[in-house]
Amino acid sequence: MKKRLWLFKGLAVLLPVLLLALAEGFLRLFGYGQDYRLFVEDPQRNGFLIMNQRASERYFTETANATVGNFEPFRQRKADGTFRIFVLGESTTIGYPYFHNGSFHRWLHYRLMHTFPNRHFEIINLSLTAVNSYTVFGFGKQLIDYEPDAVLIYTGHNEYYGAMGVGSTSSLGGHPALVRLVLKLREFRLMQLLNRMIAGIRKTVSDEKVDLRENLMKRMAADQQILYGSDAYQQGIEQFKTNLNDLCQLFSAHQIPVLISNLVSNEKDLKPFISAPGNAHQSAEKQFKQAQQAYAKGDTKQAKQSFVQAKELDLLRFRAPRAINQVIQELAAHYPNVTEVDTRAVFERYSPNGILGHETLLEHVHPNLHGYALLSDAFYEALKKRRLIATDWKNEMSLAQLRRQMPITPVDSLKGVFEMLILKEGWPFNEPMPPEEKRAKTVEEQLAGALVVKQLSWRNAMDQLLAHYQKVHNPQGALRVSEALSLEHPYDPGFYAQAGKLSLSLNQPEQAVWHLKKAFDLEPTFPTAQSLFITLLKLDRPDEALIYLRYATAHNETPFSLTELQTFVEQLVAVKNRYLTDTTNVTLSNQLAAGYLKFANTDGAAKYVAKSLRTDPRNAVALQLKAQLQAIKN
């Protein structure tokens, strides 16, 4: 009898659980709800993964506010020699308002590719706008199985108003354990159904809808006045500290290097959004005025302190307090695998009197293009200091060279300008839009304007810009667009090949070789191999040329035999290898000159004739070769 009683009690306890499990299985079987895993298979490429565009929805109470990230594919099975980096963060980290190649991780990717041309890099940016450390922690803990060589983090500005933040419309209070439990429950289809039913009832009763006409900043901010040092203020700091500490602990346990940057914000050129009444110790506005007065008098030390304090006292907390940077510093000191990236110091070096303002920042927290280049530089230098990629960075690209070469198009730059005008027109800036200039708009302005209002995609804008530059015979502009497209689509050989051809037309052979090699590695073809061996021979790199010449000979698409040329280049390589051990050997340098002259490479021939004559000014063979060169030029 007792056994039966215990059996019935056990069934009574298990029955609700079984019913819930059955309901969950039923919902999944019929495809209800969303899969919130971080990565899904790329529908465009077999064997590749991309970020799940639904992954953010679990962090937003109102899914209408949920934001979408990048589509950056990476291989399911990491190829040998690949250095894989994941990037975590919020709107600054994803590159707002430029996105695409304006983002710091693209600047970093471009620079690393040119510093290490023979290495393959995968830099996958998982950042989203309007999120904070809850999303960073939630995404980060899923990365362990994807073999990251490093994780880069820039986060902290959205701790109060980002999804699940203590001052946001989706807040569940300042208790990370409770928030994480709710986020875990949202993975279940049954909970998604329940949330949908509750949201439907709430809308029916209150007749409230998410007003998508309001900008996301206003839609996400609930508690718009958080006093410095208040409970809500401290909860935001603790929330950040808990999430980042647990994430750093997890990565350290798996010996994954983490580079986490401190934060920058506009202090000099942005007055506080909301100020409390009272004296300068309480009022952000009065503190800001004191800072301006000190700056005008040339007391920059006092001005800097007051500008920072004005930001600290601002009741509308869209800029991270200093305490966030202190947490980052403590994490780096505590965990050996965690490195603090001192972005603030980099920005201060490029700011007058070391005070952060419009020289590097657009509004409150988002950098301009110069600022994004500096943010990438901070991470680049940190990677170099940690020696994570290599010990030897001999081919390092300078920051100045990066800024000259980075393929940011005028459309990208203008899009950022237009985006800022629209943002600042709304809350909390409330700056009126300047009057429209009465003149015909350039093609770049037209495309940027259409891009901002989502009349066309970034890819369509680039395609139209490329067609325009080709039509008006602007090969330099066309090259920049082609490079931009190759950076956006790193697994498409066509963009690299196109950039290589344009580089050749502009007499930039080294740049052409870089692009053509990328194209060939992705998809070996005869035309690419032909362009490579011809260009490399002109650059006096016969050993490299031979690799592509052999491929071209084996896959010849022309009626002309390449066997004789291959034999010649093999002999040329042998002669040059001997010459490199004895660079004063005039006979060898003359053989190299004659060989290049035979195949109309006058630059290569002239180079070795000059070397022969420097060693022996009266050498008859060298003088004869020089005469032949002069005859060709004439």
Side-chain angles (χ1 to χ4, degrees), residues 496-571:
Y496 287 114
Q498 183 173 254
K501 290 175 184 176
L502 286 164
S503 297
L504 287 173
S505 72
L506 289 163
N507 194 27
Q508 298 173 0
E510 293 286 358
Q511 195 169 347
V513 166
W514 190 92
H515 288 294
L516 292 169
K517 280 185 174 181
K518 290 286 185 184
F520 188 86
D521 288 344
L522 288 168
E523 184 181 19
T525 65
F526 173 80
T528 305
Q530 185 180 41
S531 295
L532 274 167
F533 79 68
I534 291 172
T535 306
L536 287 165
L537 283 173
K538 287 181 178 179
L539 291 171
D540 186 30
R541 289 151 66 179
D543 52 338
E544 291 180 62
L546 189 57
I547 297 169
Y548 302 101
L549 179 54
R550 284 171 175 161
Y551 178 91
T553 303
H555 301 83
N556 195 351
E557 296 178 2
T558 72
F560 308 103
S561 174
L562 294 174
T563 305
E564 182 183 354
L565 178 59
Q566 181 178 321
T567 302
F568 160 73
V569 173
E570 288 170 347
Q571 294 170 350

Side-chain angles (χ1 to χ4, degrees), residues 475-487:
Q476 191 64 57
L479 173 58
R480 183 160 288 250
V481 177
S482 298
E483 280 198 277
L485 286 165
S486 67
L487 198 54

